[in-house]
Amino acid sequence: MAELILVRHGQANSTAQDAESYDNLSDLGHEQAGWLGTHLQNTNPHFDRVYSGSLRRQQQTAAAIGHQAPILDDRLNEFDYFGLAQRLQEQHGLAMPKDGAGFAAHVPVLLQHWQDGTIDHASEPFDAFESRVVAALMDATASGGRVMLVTSGGVISMALRHILGLNLAGTAKIMLQTMNSSFHQIEKIHGQLLLSQFNATPHLDQPDRAHARTFV
Protein backbone atom coordinates (compact mmCIF):
# COMPACT_ATOMS: atom_id res chain seq x y z
CA MET A 1 0.00 0.00 0.00
CA ALA A 2 1.11 3.55 -0.70
CA GLU A 3 -0.29 6.90 0.40
CA LEU A 4 0.30 10.07 -1.60
CA ILE A 5 -0.25 13.56 -0.23
CA LEU A 6 -0.35 16.02 -3.13
CA VAL A 7 0.16 19.62 -1.99
CA ARG A 8 -0.57 22.65 -4.10
CA HIS A 9 1.94 25.46 -3.62
CA GLY A 10 1.00 28.51 -1.58
CA GLN A 11 -0.29 31.67 -3.20
CA ALA A 12 2.14 32.99 -5.79
CA ASN A 13 2.32 36.42 -7.46
CA SER A 14 -1.31 36.48 -8.55
CA THR A 15 -0.98 39.75 -10.50
CA ALA A 16 1.69 38.35 -12.83
CA GLN A 17 1.22 38.22 -16.58
CA ASP A 18 4.15 35.89 -17.32
CA ALA A 19 5.57 32.69 -15.91
CA GLU A 20 8.78 34.21 -14.51
CA SER A 21 6.97 36.90 -12.53
CA TYR A 22 4.43 34.39 -11.20
CA ASP A 23 7.01 31.92 -9.92
CA ASN A 24 7.51 33.25 -6.37
CA LEU A 25 5.34 32.82 -3.30
CA SER A 26 3.64 35.91 -1.95
CA ASP A 27 3.99 36.71 1.75
CA LEU A 28 0.61 35.05 2.24
CA GLY A 29 1.79 32.01 0.28
CA HIS A 30 4.70 31.55 2.70
CA GLU A 31 2.25 31.82 5.62
CA GLN A 32 -0.13 29.28 4.11
CA ALA A 33 2.66 26.75 3.61
CA GLY A 34 4.04 27.36 7.10
CA TRP A 35 0.62 26.77 8.64
CA LEU A 36 0.31 23.54 6.67
CA GLY A 37 3.71 22.45 7.97
CA THR A 38 2.61 23.09 11.55
CA HIS A 39 -0.61 21.14 10.98
CA LEU A 40 1.27 18.15 9.58
CA GLN A 41 3.81 18.29 12.39
CA ASN A 42 1.00 18.17 14.93
CA THR A 43 -0.94 15.37 13.25
CA ASN A 44 1.18 13.01 11.13
CA PRO A 45 4.64 14.38 10.33
CA HIS A 46 6.21 11.22 8.94
CA PHE A 47 6.87 10.92 5.21
CA ASP A 48 9.04 8.21 3.67
CA ARG A 49 9.85 10.49 0.75
CA VAL A 50 9.15 14.11 -0.17
CA TYR A 51 9.17 15.24 -3.78
CA SER A 52 8.77 18.69 -5.27
CA GLY A 53 8.60 20.13 -8.73
CA SER A 54 11.61 22.26 -9.60
CA LEU A 55 9.69 25.55 -9.89
CA ARG A 56 10.61 28.19 -7.29
CA ARG A 57 7.13 28.44 -5.82
CA GLN A 58 6.99 24.68 -5.35
CA GLN A 59 10.39 24.46 -3.66
CA GLN A 60 9.56 27.50 -1.51
CA THR A 61 6.37 25.75 -0.40
CA ALA A 62 8.22 22.55 0.49
CA ALA A 63 10.75 24.56 2.50
CA ALA A 64 8.06 26.50 4.35
CA ILE A 65 6.32 23.21 5.21
CA GLY A 66 9.62 22.05 6.72
CA HIS A 67 11.30 20.08 3.91
CA GLN A 68 14.37 22.02 2.82
CA ALA A 69 15.78 19.40 0.45
CA PRO A 70 12.99 17.52 -1.31
CA ILE A 71 13.68 15.22 -4.22
CA LEU A 72 13.17 17.39 -7.31
CA ASP A 73 11.06 15.97 -10.13
CA ASP A 74 10.36 18.14 -13.17
CA ARG A 75 7.32 16.01 -13.96
CA LEU A 76 5.57 17.79 -11.07
CA ASN A 77 6.04 21.20 -12.72
CA GLU A 78 2.98 23.11 -13.86
CA PHE A 79 2.11 23.26 -17.55
CA ASP A 80 3.01 26.44 -19.42
CA TYR A 81 -0.24 28.34 -18.85
CA PHE A 82 1.16 31.75 -19.71
CA GLY A 83 2.85 30.54 -22.89
CA LEU A 84 -0.29 28.74 -24.05
CA ALA A 85 -2.45 31.77 -23.20
CA GLN A 86 -0.16 34.06 -25.20
CA ARG A 87 -0.30 31.78 -28.24
CA LEU A 88 -4.07 31.43 -27.86
CA GLN A 89 -4.38 35.20 -27.97
CA GLU A 90 -2.10 35.53 -30.99
CA GLN A 91 -3.64 32.67 -32.96
CA HIS A 92 -7.31 32.81 -31.94
CA GLY A 93 -7.85 36.32 -30.56
CA LEU A 94 -8.78 35.20 -27.03
CA ALA A 95 -7.41 37.84 -24.66
CA MET A 96 -5.49 36.99 -21.52
CA PRO A 97 -7.76 37.19 -18.44
CA LYS A 98 -7.40 40.19 -16.14
CA ASP A 99 -9.32 39.00 -13.07
CA GLY A 100 -10.62 35.89 -11.34
CA ALA A 101 -13.85 35.73 -13.33
CA GLY A 102 -11.92 36.07 -16.56
CA PHE A 103 -9.52 33.33 -15.52
CA ALA A 104 -12.41 30.98 -14.69
CA ALA A 105 -13.85 31.50 -18.16
CA HIS A 106 -10.47 31.29 -19.87
CA VAL A 107 -9.16 28.00 -18.44
CA PRO A 108 -11.76 25.62 -19.99
CA VAL A 109 -11.35 27.22 -23.41
CA LEU A 110 -7.56 27.07 -23.24
CA LEU A 111 -7.62 23.42 -22.18
CA GLN A 112 -9.97 22.53 -25.03
CA HIS A 113 -7.76 24.20 -27.65
CA TRP A 114 -4.69 22.58 -26.10
CA GLN A 115 -6.22 19.10 -26.08
CA ASP A 116 -7.50 19.56 -29.65
CA GLY A 117 -4.04 20.57 -30.84
CA THR A 118 -5.24 23.91 -32.23
CA ILE A 119 -2.55 25.96 -30.44
CA ASP A 120 0.46 25.92 -32.74
CA HIS A 121 3.95 25.70 -31.26
CA ALA A 122 2.77 24.75 -27.77
CA SER A 123 5.77 24.08 -25.55
CA GLU A 124 4.29 20.72 -24.55
CA PRO A 125 1.45 18.68 -26.05
CA PHE A 126 -1.56 18.03 -23.83
CA ASP A 127 -1.04 14.26 -24.01
CA ALA A 128 2.62 14.63 -22.97
CA PHE A 129 1.59 16.63 -19.89
CA GLU A 130 -0.96 14.00 -18.95
CA SER A 131 1.55 11.19 -19.46
CA ARG A 132 4.26 12.77 -17.32
CA VAL A 133 1.86 13.43 -14.45
CA VAL A 134 0.62 9.84 -14.47
CA ALA A 135 4.19 8.52 -14.67
CA ALA A 136 5.18 10.66 -11.68
CA LEU A 137 2.28 9.25 -9.64
CA MET A 138 3.11 5.66 -10.51
CA ASP A 139 6.81 6.08 -9.75
CA ALA A 140 6.06 7.81 -6.42
CA THR A 141 3.87 4.89 -5.31
CA ALA A 142 6.08 2.09 -6.63
CA SER A 143 7.99 1.61 -3.39
CA GLY A 144 5.00 2.04 -1.09
CA GLY A 145 5.03 4.18 2.03
CA ARG A 146 3.75 7.68 2.72
CA VAL A 147 4.90 10.20 0.14
CA MET A 148 4.44 13.95 -0.27
CA LEU A 149 4.38 15.58 -3.71
CA VAL A 150 4.57 19.40 -3.71
CA THR A 151 3.21 20.57 -7.03
CA SER A 152 0.65 22.84 -8.75
CA GLY A 153 -3.05 22.99 -9.50
CA GLY A 154 -2.79 21.82 -13.09
CA VAL A 155 -0.81 18.74 -12.07
CA ILE A 156 -3.30 17.93 -9.31
CA SER A 157 -6.26 18.29 -11.67
CA MET A 158 -4.55 16.03 -14.21
CA ALA A 159 -3.83 13.46 -11.50
CA LEU A 160 -7.50 13.42 -10.50
CA ARG A 161 -8.55 13.29 -14.16
CA HIS A 162 -6.59 10.04 -14.40
CA ILE A 163 -7.84 8.59 -11.11
CA LEU A 164 -11.51 9.56 -11.49
CA GLY A 165 -11.85 9.31 -15.28
CA LEU A 166 -12.83 12.98 -15.63
CA ASN A 167 -13.68 14.59 -18.93
CA LEU A 168 -12.04 17.90 -19.85
CA ALA A 169 -14.82 20.02 -18.35
CA GLY A 170 -14.46 18.18 -15.05
CA THR A 171 -10.69 18.57 -15.19
CA ALA A 172 -11.07 22.34 -15.61
CA LYS A 173 -13.45 22.55 -12.64
CA ILE A 174 -11.00 20.69 -10.42
CA MET A 175 -8.20 23.02 -11.52
CA LEU A 176 -10.23 26.14 -10.72
CA GLN A 177 -11.33 24.79 -7.32
CA THR A 178 -7.92 23.67 -6.04
CA MET A 179 -6.91 26.01 -3.23
CA ASN A 180 -3.45 27.32 -2.46
CA SER A 181 -1.64 25.06 0.04
CA SER A 182 -4.48 22.50 -0.07
CA PHE A 183 -3.60 18.83 0.17
CA HIS A 184 -5.12 15.83 -1.56
CA GLN A 185 -4.80 12.25 -0.35
CA ILE A 186 -4.45 9.37 -2.79
CA GLU A 187 -4.02 5.75 -1.81
CA LYS A 188 -2.74 2.89 -3.92
CA ILE A 189 -4.65 -0.23 -2.93
CA HIS A 190 -4.55 -3.52 -4.87
CA GLY A 191 -2.75 -1.72 -7.69
CA GLN A 192 -5.37 1.01 -8.05
CA LEU A 193 -4.99 4.71 -7.28
CA LEU A 194 -8.00 5.86 -5.22
CA LEU A 195 -8.87 9.38 -4.08
CA SER A 196 -9.57 9.55 -0.34
CA GLN A 197 -9.42 13.32 0.28
CA PHE A 198 -9.72 16.39 -1.94
CA ASN A 199 -8.83 20.05 -1.32
CA ALA A 200 -8.24 19.68 2.42
CA THR A 201 -7.29 22.91 4.22
CA PRO A 202 -7.62 22.26 7.98
CA HIS A 203 -4.71 24.65 8.57
CA LEU A 204 -6.87 27.50 7.19
CA ASP A 205 -10.08 26.69 9.06
CA GLN A 206 -9.60 29.17 11.91
CA PRO A 207 -11.82 32.27 11.58
CA ASP A 208 -8.82 34.60 11.61
CA ARG A 209 -7.43 32.81 8.54
CA ALA A 210 -10.49 33.21 6.32
CA HIS A 211 -8.53 35.74 4.24
CA ALA A 212 -5.97 33.02 3.47
CA ARG A 213 -8.37 30.75 1.58
CA THR A 214 -7.17 31.65 -1.91
CA PHE A 215 -7.33 30.08 -5.35
CA VAL A 216 -4.96 32.39 -7.28
Side-chain angles (χ1 to χ4, degrees), residues 2 9 44 51 63 81 92 127 146 157 162 167 175 191 193 210:
H9 62 77
N44 189 353
Y51 294 87
Y81 170 76
H92 299 279
D127 290 348
R146 189 167 191 251
S157 65
H162 171 72
N167 62 17
M175 189 181 304
L193 295 179

Side-chain angles (χ1 to χ4, degrees), residues 157-173:
S157 65
M158 189 59 76
L160 298 193
R161 170 184 169 86
H162 171 72
I163 293 167
L164 301 177
L166 299 175
N167 62 17
L168 197 65
T171 305
K173 289 178 180 178

Side-chain angles (χ1 to χ4, degrees), residues 162-185:
H162 171 72
I163 293 167
L164 301 177
L166 299 175
N167 62 17
L168 197 65
T171 305
K173 289 178 180 178
I174 290 290
M175 189 181 304
L176 292 169
Q177 191 62 17
T178 302
M179 296 180 66
N180 294 119
S181 77
S182 60
F183 64 89
H184 313 256
Q185 184 180 16

Side-chain angles (χ1 to χ4, degrees), residues 79-101:
F79 70 90
D80 182 19
Y81 170 76
F82 288 102
L84 289 169
Q86 184 63 41
R87 289 175 176 85
L88 190 63
Q89 180 171 321
E90 293 168 353
Q91 297 169 21
H92 299 279
L94 184 65
M96 289 273 289
K98 296 182 179 179
D99 54 28

Side-chain angles (χ1 to χ4, degrees), residues 144-162:
R146 189 167 191 251
V147 184
M148 179 187 291
L149 306 178
V150 183
T151 183
S152 295
V155 173
I156 292 169
S157 65
M158 189 59 76
L160 298 193
R161 170 184 169 86
H162 171 72

Side-chain angles (χ1 to χ4, degrees), residues 181-196:
S181 77
S182 60
F183 64 89
H184 313 256
Q185 184 180 16
I186 296 167
E187 295 180 296
K188 188 176 183 181
I189 303 173
H190 304 308
Q192 293 188 69
L193 295 179
L194 304 172
L195 178 66
S196 55

